Amino acid sequence: KLPTRGQPQPQPRTMADNNPMMNAILKWSLQHHDGTSDSVPTEMDREKKEFLENAMKTMVEDETKTLKELVEAIKEPEDTEEQVEKKEIALEDLIDRSDRVDYAIALHSFAGGLFPTIDLLETSQHEGVRTKAAELVALAVQNNPPCQAWAFEGGALPKLLALHAKGTEKEKQKCLLALSGLISNNPPAQEAFIKADGLKVIEDDIKANVGRRLKVKAVFTCGWMMRESEPARKAALASAIPQDLALAAAEDDEEVAGLAMGALLPLVKADKACVAANLAPLSAGTKPSVPHRTIAPAVLEVA
C-alpha cells in the first residue's frame, strides 16, 4: 500500500539499513528478543536456522516488492490531481529510501526505477513531479559510480540541462544538484557536460539575480570543477566565468564571496595572464555595477 499525506514520515535510517539483508536481521532480532534477559550463545539448531533464513528472505522480498510498487506508481498517468498527488508521494518515498548507495542501486537493478525517473524530467507537466524526480536522480548518483553510469546512459544529462533552462528556481536547484552529482569524478560525463555548454548553466546561475541557495550551489559546483577538471578550467578561461566569479567574490554574502574566491584561484594558477585580461574591465571600472573594483587585482595578488 502506498503512503498517503498525513502519515508519519519514515524515520532516519540506521547502519543496519546499509543493505536489505542487514535490515531484515535487525527486524527479526527485535521481533524475537526483547533484550531484558541474559542469554548464553549456543549453536543454532537446523530448525531455527531455517526459520531465520526464511524470515530474512521474506523481509528482503517485501522491501523489493515495495520498491517495485513505488516505481509502478511513478509510471502512472497525470490526468487528475489525485494521480499527480500519488506520483509525488511515491517519489517522496523513493527519495527517503534512496539515501544509501545500495538502495539507490536497488532502485535501478531490482526495481527498474531510475530510467522512468529520468524520463519524468522531460515528460511530466507538473512542477512538483519534475522537482522531486530531479531530487531523486541527485540522490541516486551522489558518490555512486554505478548509478552515475546508468543515469548517464539513460540520458539524464541532456534532460537535466533542458529542465534547468526552462524550470523554476526550485527546479534549477535540484537540477544543478543532480548535474553536480552526475559529473563528479566522472570524466565521460564531465566531457559531455562541457561539450553541451554546461558551464554556461553554472555561469548564468552565478551572475543572475537568483536566490541565495541557487547561487551558493552554483559557485560551489564551479569551484570543485575548477579544482578537479583541467578541461573545465580551459573552457572557463575561454568564457566570462572569471569575471563573474570576481563579481561574486565582491558580494557582501561571505559564503558566496569565499566560494567564488576559491573557484577563481585555480584559474589564476592555471593561466594568470588570461585571468588578468578577463578581469581588466573590472579593474578599469568600466562596469559600474561592480561594488568593489579592488577585487580583480586582489585575486591576482593572492595567487
Side-chain angles (χ1 to χ4, degrees):
K1 182 179 179 181
L2 297 179
T4 58
R5 294 195 187 277
Q7 286 186 338
Q9 293 298 309
Q11 296 300 309
R13 297 196 188 319
T14 67
M15 290 182 65
D17 288 303
N18 284 342
N19 62 63
M21 185 61 72
M22 285 292 292
N23 190 36
I25 293 172
L26 175 62
K27 289 180 180 178
W28 185 89
S29 299
L30 292 175
Q31 289 170 2
H32 293 82
H33 195 285
D34 62 7
T36 60
S37 60
D38 296 331
S39 60
V40 179
T42 59
E43 184 177 353
M44 185 180 294
D45 61 39
R46 182 175 179 180
E47 183 179 352
K48 288 183 178 179
K49 184 177 180 181
E50 290 179 353
F51 177 79
L52 176 59
E53 290 176 345
N54 289 333
M56 290 189 296
K57 181 179 179 182
T58 299
M59 291 177 181
V60 172
E61 289 176 348
D62 287 347
E63 182 69 20
T64 302
K65 180 182 177 183
T66 299
L67 279 175
K68 289 181 177 180
E69 288 176 349
L70 290 168
V71 169
E72 288 304 311
I74 70 172
K75 296 178 182 178
E76 292 296 319
E78 300 177 12
D79 298 331
T80 67
E81 290 185 9
E82 182 180 4
Q83 288 176 326
V84 174
E85 183 179 20
K86 286 183 177 180
K87 184 173 286 192
E88 290 184 8
I89 292 171
L91 285 166
E92 288 173 359
D93 200 339
L94 287 170
I95 288 169
D96 290 335
R97 294 169 183 273
S98 298
D99 60 354
R100 298 283 192 237
V101 169
D102 63 313
Y103 275 81
I105 290 174
L107 171 66
H108 179 77
S109 59
F110 291 152
L114 185 57
F115 289 170
T117 302
I118 292 170
D119 289 341
L120 288 175
L121 301 170
E122 183 178 57
T123 61
S124 177
Q125 300 299 310
H126 300 273
E127 177 188 349
V129 173
R130 295 192 301 267
T131 301
K132 288 177 174 59
E135 183 176 357
L136 180 54
V137 172
L139 266 178
V141 300
Q142 184 177 12
N143 301 319
N144 194 335
C147 284
Q148 283 180 317
W150 292 327
F152 187 54
E153 175 191 346
L157 179 62
K159 290 180 174 66
L160 286 167
L161 289 171
L163 179 57
H164 182 282
K166 66 181 181 181
T168 64
E169 183 154 323
K170 191 170 183 179
E171 287 175 301
K172 289 178 185 290
Q173 289 176 12
K174 300 302 183 183
C175 285
L176 190 55
L177 187 67
L179 286 166
S180 179
L182 179 64
I183 66 177
S184 179
N185 298 312
N186 188 351
Q190 287 183 14
E191 181 181 358
F193 178 78
I194 293 168
K195 286 183 177 180
D197 210 13
L199 285 175
K200 185 67 167 57
V201 168
I202 296 176
E203 179 185 350
D204 289 344
D205 287 343
I206 292 173
K207 69 182 181 181
N209 183 25
V210 297
R212 182 179 182 279
R213 290 183 64 183
L214 179 55
K215 178 162 287 191
V216 167
K217 184 59 185 175
V219 179
F220 175 82
T221 302
C222 185
W224 73 254
M225 288 195 71
M226 296 306 102
R227 289 188 294 272
E228 298 179 12
S229 172
E230 182 179 358
R233 287 194 295 273
K234 289 182 178 180
L237 287 167
S239 72
I241 284 181
Q243 193 172 114
D244 295 322
L245 287 172
L247 293 174
E251 292 191 10
D252 293 332
D253 188 312
E254 292 184 1
E255 184 177 10
V256 171
L259 289 171
M261 185 67 79
L264 262 174
L265 292 180
L267 295 176
V268 176
K269 291 177 181 178
D271 195 332
K272 188 171 183 177
C274 180
V275 175
N278 198 298
L279 302 189
L282 304 187
S283 301
T286 56
K287 281 209 169 189
S289 61
V290 180
H292 304 294
R293 292 174 182 170
T294 58
I295 190 64
V299 170
L300 299 175
E301 287 173 10
V302 170

